[in-house]
Amino acid sequence: MLPLDWSLWPAEARLLLTLTLIWSVAGLLILGSASWWVASREMGEGAYYLKRQVIWMVASWGLLSLAVSTDLRRWMKVAGPALWIGCLLVAATLLFGDPVNGASRWLPIGPMQIQPSELVKPFVVLQAANLFAHWKRSAVDQKLLWLGSFGALILLILKQPNLSTAALTGLLLWLMAFSAGLRLRSLFGTALVGAALGVSSIMINEYQRLRVVSFLNPWQDPQGDGYQLVQSLLAIGSGGIVGQGFGLSTQKLQYLPIQSTDFIFAVYAEEFGFIGSVMLLLFLMLVAFLGLRVALRCRSNQTRLTAIGCTTLLIGQSLMNLAVASGAMPTTGLPLPMVSYGGNSLLSSLLVAGLLIRCSLESTSLVGGRRPRRANERSNQHLAPSR
């Protein structure tokens, strides 16, 4: 079932697969602790959220397996149409979406709800790698077409409004363009335009402006706009050095809002303390280091940029979630990958992880791309049955 014999896997691919498995299992345990009491009180079943997350986890690992076993060139071919479909679905949320906390991010499809802005993220990485890897050889109309598509997607996400996802998408594209060697003058101008869009969104949307004001001084209105952040800081501070112990958080007992999604790190920090929080940061640093190693070993610009984009997406979103919970950033709606409750985020995160692992496998020249003759012979000899 593996695209390449396990003994031929690079060390980075093996470690990334192992760390992704650890991340997923730990995420289920953290979610179970954060959601059990509220689920028992509101749904009548403590494992209500956990059971549903397990179902989505199985489906997401199936998607990861597909990503690992499929040639990256095939993913590149579907990236463009998938990006356009994502734009249409994000636009559909503005017309038919279910508003949640003042934003229309969810689109009902039968018995399920999907969040297109989450599901489109892997294809943003793939199409950006497609575009920026051949930037100097691409025609002007192709550049304008795809830059316009990216810009339309960001504007549609801003319109929901979803400033955090729009900012993450813009930052992702900017870093991939920077890694591809685009002119610094153009990148600087793009950064100014992005900052202006962000400020405009904050000024137009009242709830975003209140979030920024409450972030600067949450104690000014601890029972109103600053309530979420105050309760999150209390949870993190209550953890101390070693934490209260697994399952023993008190802030999750309906004191801390959104404790299973956006602020799940606060529950984790209360239960595992400063030491556990540092271990989580070290874990993310290890994943980031392995992602960088994979990018450096890649043999083509497309694969290298894909690895950079996948690493940026996983680690960048994680750090933004931690920054929000600890008061280093204004409150946003970004989930913690593979930990926060939500099937859409799981599908997107594990697909991105699978693409990163695939990049590592293709760096060996034994799978994917144009395989050298010697690599083909070596692979065939190794995989041939012994007589």
Side-chain angles (χ1 to χ4, degrees), residues 94-118:
L94 303 177
L95 300 174
F96 311 108
D98 291 337
V100 178
N101 296 328
S104 298
R105 304 174 186 175
W106 299 89
L107 187 65
I109 298 181
M112 297 189 305
Q113 285 188 323
I114 65 169
Q115 189 176 4
S117 58
E118 277 291 328

Side-chain angles (χ1 to χ4, degrees), residues 287-292 295 306-316 352 356:
V287 175
F289 173 74
L290 291 172
L292 179 60
T306 301
I308 291 173
C310 290
T311 305
T312 300
L313 191 54
L314 284 175
I315 304 304
V352 168
L356 181 58

Side-chain angles (χ1 to χ4, degrees), residues 19-264:
L19 293 176
T20 303
L21 179 60
I22 294 173
W23 197 342
S24 300
V25 174
L28 288 176
L29 294 175
I30 296 168
L31 175 64
S33 173
S35 65
W36 195 278
W37 190 88
V38 173
S40 299
R41 186 181 180 97
E42 296 180 353
M43 302 298 179
E45 182 185 5
Y48 179 85
Y49 296 111
L50 186 60
K51 287 180 179 179
R52 282 153 180 77
Q53 189 81 341
V54 169
I55 295 173
W56 281 108
M57 184 71 74
V58 173
S60 300
W61 268 90
L63 194 56
L64 179 144
S65 301
L66 179 64
V68 172
S69 59
T70 303
D71 195 322
L72 200 61
R73 290 180 300 174
R74 295 186 179 181
W75 286 107
M76 294 291 184
K77 290 179 181 179
V78 303
L83 176 65
W84 285 335
I85 292 173
C87 289
L88 292 176
L89 291 176
V90 173
T93 61
L94 303 177
L95 300 174
F96 311 108
D98 291 337
V100 178
N101 296 328
S104 298
R105 304 174 186 175
W106 299 89
L107 187 65
I109 298 181
M112 297 189 305
Q113 285 188 323
I114 65 169
Q115 189 176 4
S117 58
E118 277 291 328
L119 298 177
V120 78
K121 288 176 182 177
F123 301 103
V124 171
V125 171
L126 290 168
Q127 188 53 39
N130 255 336
L131 175 64
F132 296 134
H134 307 111
W135 181 259
K136 294 182 179 179
R137 299 196 302 270
S138 298
V140 175
D141 58 340
Q142 287 294 309
K143 294 179 181 179
L144 294 177
L145 171 66
W146 292 114
L147 289 178
S149 299
F150 290 136
L153 176 64
I154 292 175
L155 290 175
L156 287 170
I157 295 175
L158 275 176
K159 184 65 178 176
Q160 287 183 329
N162 188 350
L163 179 59
S164 55
T165 301
L168 177 63
T169 304
L171 182 61
L172 170 68
L173 291 169
W174 194 92
L175 288 173
M176 291 184 68
F178 176 78
S179 301
L182 270 66
R183 291 189 307 173
L184 290 178
R185 182 182 300 176
S186 300
L187 292 174
F188 181 72
T190 304
L192 290 179
V193 172
L197 283 175
V199 172
S200 301
S201 179
I202 293 172
M203 298 300 294
I204 294 172
N205 297 287
E206 180 69 13
Y207 88 99
Q208 290 181 351
R209 187 182 63 81
L210 292 175
R211 282 184 173 183
V212 173
V213 172
S214 62
F215 149 74
L216 297 174
N217 186 10
W219 304 100
Q220 184 176 354
D221 188 11
Q223 297 298 322
D225 295 325
Y227 182 78
Q228 285 184 341
L229 183 54
V230 167
Q231 297 302 317
S232 179
L233 294 174
L234 288 175
I236 295 173
S238 299
I241 300 297
V242 297
Q244 302 293 328
F246 179 68
L248 300 179
S249 167
T250 56
Q251 289 298 114
K252 68 184 180 185
L253 307 180
Q254 289 194 327
Y255 295 105
L256 176 65
I258 327 179
Q259 73 280 356
S260 300
T261 52
D262 299 350
F263 285 87
I264 197 169

